[in-house]
Amino acid sequence: MVNPILVTGAAGRVGAVGRTVTELLLRQGKAVRAMVRNEDERAQALRDMGAEVVVGDLLDLDSMHRVIAGCETMYFSMSISDAYLAATINTAAVAKHHGVKAFINMSQMTVSQMSITETTPSPQHKLQWLSEQALNWSGLPVVHVRPTVFLEGFFLTLTPDSVRQSNQIRLPFGEGKTSPVAAEDVARVVATLLENPQSHIGKIYHLTGPQSENMHFFAQEYSKALGRTITFQDIPVEPWRDELLKRGLPVHVVNHLTAMADLHRAGRFDRMSDDVRTLTGQGPLSVQEFVRKNAATFTASAKAKEA
């Protein structure tokens, strides 16, 4: 019997890395166990693809035994949460108990700039740094994947309204450079690692887009993709933070996004890596290509999609 590859967060919406990883592995003929939080239409869609779907909770010990038992290779990912560290340790403990032979961990690139004496104002960054430490201490065969900011995060989630309404990208990034990466590129890397993980154990991979530029440059890329002039408008951080809270985002998430904005302004997201191309043989998606693919979302006639 073939041991399935476990993909946690397989039904997630933001970025859809887990779902895309599941799809890529199934195309390669791999057996995949897709972990979801709820039995719903997204779970059924994964089942229709050919995945074994298991409902579980990263914080629940009993359900994680059901999820992990029988899997030798697994991908761990969790959305931004104040329970991130507890979920990581709970999952790692169960994975170690069941003798997992490859644990692919989704982290964040800012962790590479952190240490026991250096941190950031983001509560999420702190939890992710601690989670990496715990996984390293665990003795599990771990591969850390550290993407920079996701295109689907700031760019697809937080810029369409102002682009549609005023042809402006309104973000508190100042003159800082950034190199956003698409979730599909991150998913391709993760799928590659899961297909043949052993030579990657103990390594850390940093994932960026093909360019690190300021937002004025990316506004020009938006313009080329959309066929109209888009400009960048720097805005103060605090009113932007208040607006995010009004949207109903959790305080933990808003504090993380605000810290990321401050780090952008400070030039801390000016990063470049060739790891996407090196691992997959294909370069990452550019901002222009990404905006062109999602042009309807940035067009005034487009209806806002529900989260």
Coordinates of all heavy atoms in Angstrom, one line a residue, residues 117-186:
T117 N 18.2 37.6 19.5 CA 18.3 39.0 19.9 C 17.6 39.9 19.0 O 17.6 41.1 19.2 CB 19.8 39.4 20.1 OG1 20.5 39.2 18.9 CG2 20.4 38.6 21.3
E118 N 17.2 39.5 17.8 CA 16.6 40.3 16.8 C 15.2 39.8 16.4 O 15.0 38.6 16.1 CB 17.4 40.3 15.5 CG 18.8 40.9 15.7 CD 18.9 42.4 16.0 OE1 17.9 43.1 15.6 OE2 19.9 42.8 16.6
T119 N 14.2 40.7 16.5 CA 12.8 40.3 16.2 C 12.2 41.4 15.4 O 12.8 42.3 14.8 CB 12.1 40.0 17.5 OG1 10.8 39.5 17.2 CG2 11.9 41.3 18.3
T120 N 10.9 41.3 15.2 CA 10.1 42.4 14.5 C 8.9 42.7 15.4 O 8.5 41.9 16.3 CB 9.6 41.9 13.1 OG1 8.4 41.2 13.3 CG2 10.6 41.1 12.4
P121 N 8.1 43.8 15.1 CA 6.9 44.1 15.9 C 5.8 43.1 15.6 O 4.7 43.2 16.3 CB 6.6 45.5 15.4 CG 7.8 46.0 14.8 CD 8.5 44.9 14.2
S122 N 5.9 42.3 14.6 CA 4.8 41.4 14.2 C 4.7 40.2 15.2 O 5.6 39.4 15.4 CB 5.0 40.8 12.8 OG 4.2 39.7 12.6
P123 N 3.5 40.0 15.8 CA 3.3 38.9 16.7 C 3.4 37.6 15.9 O 3.9 36.5 16.5 CB 1.9 39.1 17.3 CG 1.2 39.9 16.3 CD 2.3 40.8 15.7
Q124 N 3.0 37.6 14.6 CA 3.1 36.4 13.8 C 4.5 36.0 13.5 O 4.9 34.8 13.5 CB 2.3 36.6 12.5 CG 2.2 35.3 11.6 CD 1.5 34.2 12.3 OE1 0.6 34.4 13.1 NE2 1.8 33.0 11.8
H125 N 5.4 37.0 13.2 CA 6.8 36.7 12.9 C 7.4 36.0 14.1 O 8.2 35.1 13.9 CB 7.5 38.0 12.6 CG 7.2 38.5 11.2 ND1 7.4 39.8 10.9 CD2 6.8 37.9 10.1 CE1 7.1 40.0 9.6 NE2 6.7 38.8 9.1
K126 N 7.1 36.5 15.3 CA 7.7 35.9 16.5 C 7.2 34.4 16.6 O 8.1 33.6 17.0 CB 7.3 36.7 17.7 CG 7.8 38.1 17.7 CD 7.2 38.9 18.9 CE 7.7 40.4 18.8 NZ 7.1 41.3 19.8
L127 N 6.0 34.2 16.4 CA 5.5 32.8 16.5 C 6.1 31.9 15.4 O 6.5 30.7 15.7 CB 4.0 32.8 16.4 CG 3.2 33.5 17.5 CD1 1.7 33.4 17.2 CD2 3.5 32.8 18.8
Q128 N 6.3 32.4 14.2 CA 7.0 31.6 13.2 C 8.4 31.4 13.5 O 8.9 30.3 13.2 CB 6.8 32.3 11.8 CG 5.3 32.2 11.4 CD 5.1 32.8 10.0 OE1 5.2 34.0 9.8 NE2 4.6 32.0 9.1
W129 N 9.1 32.3 14.0 CA 10.5 32.1 14.4 C 10.6 31.0 15.5 O 11.4 30.1 15.4 CB 11.2 33.4 14.9 CG 12.6 33.3 15.2 CD1 13.7 33.3 14.3 CD2 13.2 33.0 16.5 NE1 14.9 33.1 14.9 CE2 14.6 32.9 16.3 CE3 12.7 32.8 17.7 CZ2 15.5 32.6 17.3 CZ3 13.6 32.6 18.8 CH2 15.0 32.5 18.6
L130 N 9.8 31.2 16.5 CA 9.8 30.2 17.6 C 9.4 28.8 17.0 O 9.9 27.8 17.5 CB 8.8 30.6 18.7 CG 9.3 31.7 19.6 CD1 8.1 32.2 20.4 CD2 10.5 31.3 20.4
S131 N 8.5 28.7 16.1 CA 8.0 27.5 15.5 C 9.2 26.8 14.8 O 9.4 25.6 14.9 CB 6.9 27.7 14.5 OG 5.7 28.1 15.3
E132 N 10.0 27.6 14.0 CA 11.1 27.0 13.4 C 12.1 26.5 14.4 O 12.7 25.4 14.2 CB 11.8 28.0 12.5 CG 11.1 28.3 11.1 CD 12.1 28.8 10.1 OE1 13.3 28.7 10.3 OE2 11.6 29.4 9.1
Q133 N 12.3 27.2 15.5 CA 13.2 26.7 16.5 C 12.7 25.4 17.1 O 13.5 24.4 17.2 CB 13.4 27.7 17.7 CG 13.8 29.1 17.2 CD 15.0 29.1 16.4 OE1 16.1 28.7 16.8 NE2 14.9 29.7 15.2
A134 N 11.4 25.3 17.4 CA 10.9 24.1 17.9 C 11.0 22.9 17.0 O 11.3 21.8 17.4 CB 9.4 24.3 18.3
L135 N 10.8 23.1 15.7 CA 10.9 22.1 14.7 C 12.3 21.6 14.6 O 12.6 20.4 14.5 CB 10.4 22.5 13.4 CG 8.8 22.7 13.2 CD1 8.5 23.4 11.9 CD2 8.1 21.3 13.4
N136 N 13.3 22.5 14.7 CA 14.7 22.2 14.6 C 15.1 21.3 15.8 O 15.8 20.4 15.7 CB 15.6 23.4 14.5 CG 15.4 24.1 13.2 OD1 14.9 23.5 12.2 ND2 15.8 25.4 13.1
W137 N 14.6 21.8 17.0 CA 14.9 21.0 18.2 C 14.2 19.6 18.2 O 14.7 18.7 18.9 CB 14.3 21.8 19.5 CG 14.9 23.1 19.6 CD1 16.2 23.6 19.2 CD2 14.3 24.3 20.3 NE1 16.4 24.9 19.6 CE2 15.2 25.3 20.2 CE3 13.1 24.5 20.9 CZ2 15.0 26.6 20.8 CZ3 12.8 25.7 21.5 CH2 13.7 26.8 21.4
S138 N 13.1 19.5 17.5 CA 12.3 18.2 17.6 C 13.1 17.0 17.0 O 12.8 15.9 17.4 CB 11.0 18.4 16.8 OG 11.3 18.4 15.4
G139 N 14.0 17.3 16.2 CA 14.7 16.2 15.5 C 14.0 15.6 14.3 O 14.5 14.7 13.7
L140 N 12.9 16.2 14.0 CA 12.2 15.8 12.8 C 13.0 16.2 11.5 O 13.7 17.1 11.5 CB 10.8 16.5 12.7 CG 9.6 16.0 13.5 CD1 8.5 17.0 13.6 CD2 9.1 14.7 12.9
P141 N 12.8 15.4 10.5 CA 13.5 15.7 9.2 C 12.8 16.9 8.5 O 11.9 16.6 7.7 CB 13.4 14.4 8.4 CG 12.2 13.7 9.0 CD 12.1 14.1 10.4
V142 N 13.2 18.1 8.8 CA 12.4 19.3 8.4 C 13.1 20.0 7.2 O 14.3 20.0 7.0 CB 12.3 20.3 9.5 CG1 11.6 21.5 9.1 CG2 11.6 19.6 10.7
V143 N 12.2 20.5 6.3 CA 12.7 21.5 5.3 C 11.8 22.7 5.5 O 10.6 22.7 5.5 CB 12.4 20.9 3.8 CG1 12.9 21.9 2.8 CG2 13.0 19.6 3.6
H144 N 12.5 23.9 5.6 CA 11.8 25.1 5.8 C 11.7 25.9 4.5 O 12.7 26.0 3.8 CB 12.5 26.0 6.8 CG 12.6 25.5 8.2 ND1 11.5 25.3 9.0 CD2 13.7 25.1 9.0 CE1 11.8 24.8 10.2 NE2 13.2 24.7 10.2
V145 N 10.5 26.3 4.2 CA 10.2 27.1 3.0 C 9.8 28.5 3.4 O 8.8 28.6 4.2 CB 9.1 26.4 2.1 CG1 8.8 27.3 0.9 CG2 9.5 25.0 1.7
R146 N 10.6 29.5 3.0 CA 10.3 30.8 3.5 C 10.0 31.8 2.3 O 10.9 32.4 1.7 CB 11.6 31.4 4.2 CG 11.9 30.6 5.5 CD 13.2 31.2 6.0 NE 13.6 30.6 7.3 CZ 14.8 30.8 7.9 NH1 15.7 31.6 7.2 NH2 15.1 30.2 9.0
P147 N 8.7 31.9 2.0 CA 8.4 32.9 0.9 C 8.4 34.3 1.5 O 8.2 34.5 2.7 CB 7.0 32.4 0.5 CG 6.4 31.8 1.7 CD 7.6 31.1 2.4
T148 N 8.6 35.3 0.6 CA 8.4 36.7 1.0 C 6.9 37.0 0.9 O 6.0 36.1 0.9 CB 9.2 37.6 0.1 OG1 9.2 38.9 0.5 CG2 8.8 37.5 -1.4
V149 N 6.5 38.2 0.8 CA 5.1 38.6 0.8 C 4.4 38.0 -0.4 O 4.9 38.0 -1.5 CB 4.9 40.2 0.8 CG1 5.5 40.8 -0.4 CG2 3.5 40.6 1.0
F150 N 3.2 37.5 -0.2 CA 2.4 36.9 -1.3 C 1.7 37.9 -2.1 O 1.1 38.9 -1.6 CB 1.4 35.9 -0.7 CG 1.9 34.6 -0.3 CD1 2.4 34.3 0.9 CD2 1.8 33.5 -1.3 CE1 2.9 33.1 1.2 CE2 2.2 32.3 -0.9 CZ 2.8 32.0 0.3
L151 N 1.7 37.7 -3.4 CA 0.9 38.6 -4.3 C -0.6 38.5 -3.9 O -1.3 39.5 -4.0 CB 1.1 38.1 -5.8 CG 2.4 38.6 -6.4 CD1 2.7 37.8 -7.7 CD2 2.3 40.1 -6.7
E152 N -1.0 37.3 -3.6 CA -2.4 37.2 -3.2 C -2.8 37.9 -1.9 O -3.9 38.2 -1.6 CB -2.8 35.7 -3.1 CG -2.9 35.0 -4.4 CD -1.5 34.6 -4.9 OE1 -0.5 34.8 -4.2 OE2 -1.4 34.0 -6.0
G153 N -1.8 38.2 -1.1 CA -2.0 38.8 0.2 C -2.2 40.3 0.1 O -3.3 40.8 0.0
F154 N -1.1 41.1 0.0 CA -1.2 42.5 -0.1 C -1.8 42.9 -1.5 O -2.6 43.8 -1.5 CB 0.1 43.2 0.1 CG 0.5 43.4 1.5 CD1 1.3 42.6 2.2 CD2 0.0 44.6 2.2 CE1 1.6 42.8 3.5 CE2 0.3 44.8 3.5 CZ 1.1 43.9 4.2
F155 N -1.4 42.3 -2.5 CA -1.7 42.9 -3.9 C -3.1 42.5 -4.4 O -3.8 43.4 -4.9 CB -0.6 42.4 -4.8 CG 0.7 43.1 -4.6 CD1 1.5 42.7 -3.5 CD2 1.2 44.1 -5.4 CE1 2.7 43.4 -3.2 CE2 2.4 44.8 -5.1 CZ 3.2 44.4 -4.1
L156 N -3.5 41.3 -4.2 CA -4.8 40.9 -4.7 C -5.9 41.2 -3.7 O -7.0 41.5 -4.0 CB -4.8 39.4 -5.1 CG -6.1 38.9 -5.8 CD1 -6.2 39.7 -7.2 CD2 -6.0 37.4 -6.1
T157 N -5.5 41.2 -2.4 CA -6.5 41.4 -1.4 C -6.7 42.9 -1.0 O -7.8 43.4 -0.8 CB -6.1 40.7 -0.1 OG1 -6.0 39.3 -0.4 CG2 -7.2 40.8 1.0
L158 N -5.6 43.7 -1.0 CA -5.6 45.0 -0.4 C -5.4 46.1 -1.5 O -5.5 47.3 -1.1 CB -4.5 45.1 0.6 CG -4.6 44.1 1.8 CD1 -3.4 44.3 2.7 CD2 -5.9 44.3 2.5
T159 N -5.3 45.8 -2.7 CA -5.1 46.9 -3.7 C -6.3 47.0 -4.7 O -6.4 48.1 -5.4 CB -3.8 46.8 -4.5 OG1 -3.8 45.7 -5.4 CG2 -2.6 46.8 -3.6
P160 N -7.1 46.0 -5.0 CA -8.1 46.2 -6.0 C -9.1 47.3 -5.9 O -9.5 48.0 -6.8 CB -8.8 44.8 -6.0 CG -7.8 43.9 -5.5 CD -7.1 44.6 -4.4
D161 N -9.6 47.6 -4.6 CA -10.6 48.6 -4.4 C -10.1 50.0 -4.9 O -10.8 50.7 -5.7 CB -11.0 48.7 -3.0 CG -11.8 47.5 -2.5 OD1 -12.3 46.8 -3.4 OD2 -12.0 47.4 -1.3
S162 N -8.9 50.3 -4.5 CA -8.4 51.7 -4.9 C -8.0 51.7 -6.4 O -8.1 52.7 -7.0 CB -7.2 52.1 -4.0 OG -6.1 51.2 -4.2
V163 N -7.6 50.6 -6.9 CA -7.2 50.5 -8.3 C -8.5 50.7 -9.2 O -8.5 51.4 -10.2 CB -6.5 49.2 -8.7 CG1 -6.4 49.1 -10.2 CG2 -5.1 49.2 -8.0
R164 N -9.6 50.0 -8.7 CA -10.9 50.1 -9.5 C -11.4 51.5 -9.4 O -11.9 52.1 -10.3 CB -11.9 49.1 -8.9 CG -11.6 47.7 -9.3 CD -12.9 46.8 -9.1 NE -13.3 46.9 -7.7 CZ -13.0 46.0 -6.7 NH1 -12.2 45.0 -7.1 NH2 -13.4 46.1 -5.5
Q165 N -11.4 52.1 -8.1 CA -12.1 53.3 -7.9 C -11.3 54.6 -8.3 O -11.9 55.6 -8.8 CB -12.4 53.4 -6.4 CG -13.4 52.4 -5.9 CD -13.4 52.2 -4.4 OE1 -12.8 53.0 -3.7 NE2 -14.0 51.1 -3.9
S166 N -10.0 54.6 -8.2 CA -9.2 55.8 -8.5 C -7.9 55.5 -9.2 O -7.1 56.5 -9.4 CB -8.8 56.5 -7.1 OG -8.0 55.6 -6.3
N167 N -7.7 54.3 -9.8 CA -6.5 54.0 -10.5 C -5.3 54.2 -9.7 O -4.2 54.6 -10.2 CB -6.4 54.8 -11.8 CG -7.5 54.3 -12.8 OD1 -7.8 53.1 -12.9 ND2 -8.0 55.2 -13.6
Q168 N -5.4 53.9 -8.4 CA -4.2 54.1 -7.5 C -4.0 52.8 -6.7 O -4.9 52.2 -6.3 CB -4.5 55.3 -6.5 CG -4.4 56.6 -7.1 CD -4.6 57.7 -6.0 OE1 -5.2 57.5 -5.0 NE2 -4.0 58.9 -6.2
I169 N -2.7 52.5 -6.5 CA -2.3 51.5 -5.5 C -2.1 52.3 -4.2 O -1.2 53.1 -4.1 CB -1.1 50.8 -5.9 CG1 -1.3 50.0 -7.2 CG2 -0.6 49.8 -4.8 CD1 0.0 49.5 -7.8
R170 N -2.9 52.1 -3.2 CA -2.7 52.8 -1.9 C -2.3 51.9 -0.8 O -3.0 51.1 -0.3 CB -4.1 53.5 -1.6 CG -4.6 54.5 -2.6 CD -5.9 55.1 -2.3 NE -6.0 55.7 -1.0 CZ -5.6 57.0 -0.7 NH1 -5.1 57.7 -1.7 NH2 -5.7 57.5 0.5
L171 N -1.0 51.9 -0.5 CA -0.4 51.1 0.5 C 0.6 51.9 1.3 O 1.3 52.8 0.7 CB 0.3 49.9 -0.1 CG -0.6 48.8 -0.7 CD1 0.3 47.7 -1.4 CD2 -1.4 48.1 0.4
P172 N 0.8 51.6 2.5 CA 1.8 52.3 3.4 C 3.2 51.8 3.2 O 3.8 51.4 4.2 CB 1.3 52.2 4.8 CG 0.6 50.9 4.8 CD 0.0 50.7 3.4
F173 N 3.7 51.7 2.0 CA 5.0 51.0 1.8 C 6.2 52.0 1.6 O 7.3 51.6 1.5 CB 4.9 50.1 0.5 CG 4.3 48.8 0.8 CD1 3.6 48.5 1.9 CD2 4.4 47.8 -0.2 CE1 3.0 47.3 2.1 CE2 3.8 46.6 0.0 CZ 3.1 46.3 1.2
G174 N 5.9 53.3 1.5 CA 6.9 54.3 1.3 C 7.7 54.0 0.0 O 7.1 53.6 -1.0
E175 N 9.0 54.2 0.0 CA 9.8 54.0 -1.1 C 10.5 52.6 -1.0 O 11.4 52.3 -1.9 CB 10.9 55.1 -1.2 CG 10.4 56.5 -1.4 CD 9.6 56.6 -2.7 OE1 10.1 56.1 -3.7 OE2 8.5 57.2 -2.7
G176 N 10.1 51.8 -0.1 CA 10.7 50.5 0.1 C 10.5 49.6 -1.1 O 9.4 49.6 -1.7
K177 N 11.5 48.8 -1.4 CA 11.4 47.8 -2.4 C 10.8 46.5 -1.9 O 10.9 46.2 -0.7 CB 12.7 47.5 -3.1 CG 13.3 48.7 -3.9 CD 14.6 48.3 -4.5 CE 15.1 49.5 -5.4 NZ 16.4 49.1 -6.1
T178 N 10.2 45.7 -2.8 CA 9.6 44.4 -2.4 C 9.6 43.5 -3.6 O 9.7 43.9 -4.8 CB 8.2 44.6 -1.9 OG1 7.7 43.4 -1.3 CG2 7.2 45.0 -3.0
S179 N 9.6 42.2 -3.3 CA 9.6 41.2 -4.4 C 8.6 40.1 -4.2 O 8.9 39.0 -3.9 CB 11.0 40.5 -4.4 OG 11.3 40.0 -3.1
P180 N 7.3 40.5 -4.3 CA 6.2 39.6 -4.0 C 6.2 38.3 -4.9 O 6.6 38.4 -6.0 CB 4.9 40.4 -4.3 CG 5.4 41.5 -5.2 CD 6.8 41.8 -4.9
V181 N 5.8 37.2 -4.3 CA 5.8 35.9 -5.0 C 4.3 35.4 -5.0 O 3.5 35.7 -4.1 CB 6.7 34.9 -4.2 CG1 6.1 34.6 -2.8 CG2 6.9 33.7 -5.1
A182 N 4.0 34.7 -6.1 CA 2.7 34.2 -6.3 C 2.5 32.8 -5.6 O 3.5 32.0 -5.5 CB 2.4 34.0 -7.8
A183 N 1.3 32.6 -5.1 CA 1.1 31.3 -4.4 C 1.3 30.1 -5.3 O 1.8 29.1 -4.8 CB -0.4 31.3 -3.8
E184 N 1.0 30.3 -6.6 CA 1.2 29.1 -7.5 C 2.7 28.7 -7.6 O 3.0 27.6 -7.7 CB 0.6 29.4 -8.8 CG 1.3 30.5 -9.6 CD 0.6 30.8 -10.9 OE1 -0.5 31.5 -10.9 OE2 1.1 30.4 -12.0
D185 N 3.6 29.7 -7.5 CA 5.0 29.4 -7.5 C 5.4 28.8 -6.2 O 6.3 27.8 -6.3 CB 5.8 30.7 -7.8 CG 5.6 31.3 -9.2 OD1 5.5 30.5 -10.1 OD2 5.4 32.5 -9.3
V186 N 4.9 29.2 -5.1 CA 5.2 28.6 -3.8 C 4.7 27.2 -3.8 O 5.4 26.2 -3.4 CB 4.6 29.4 -2.7 CG1 4.9 28.7 -1.3 CG2 5.2 30.8 -2.6

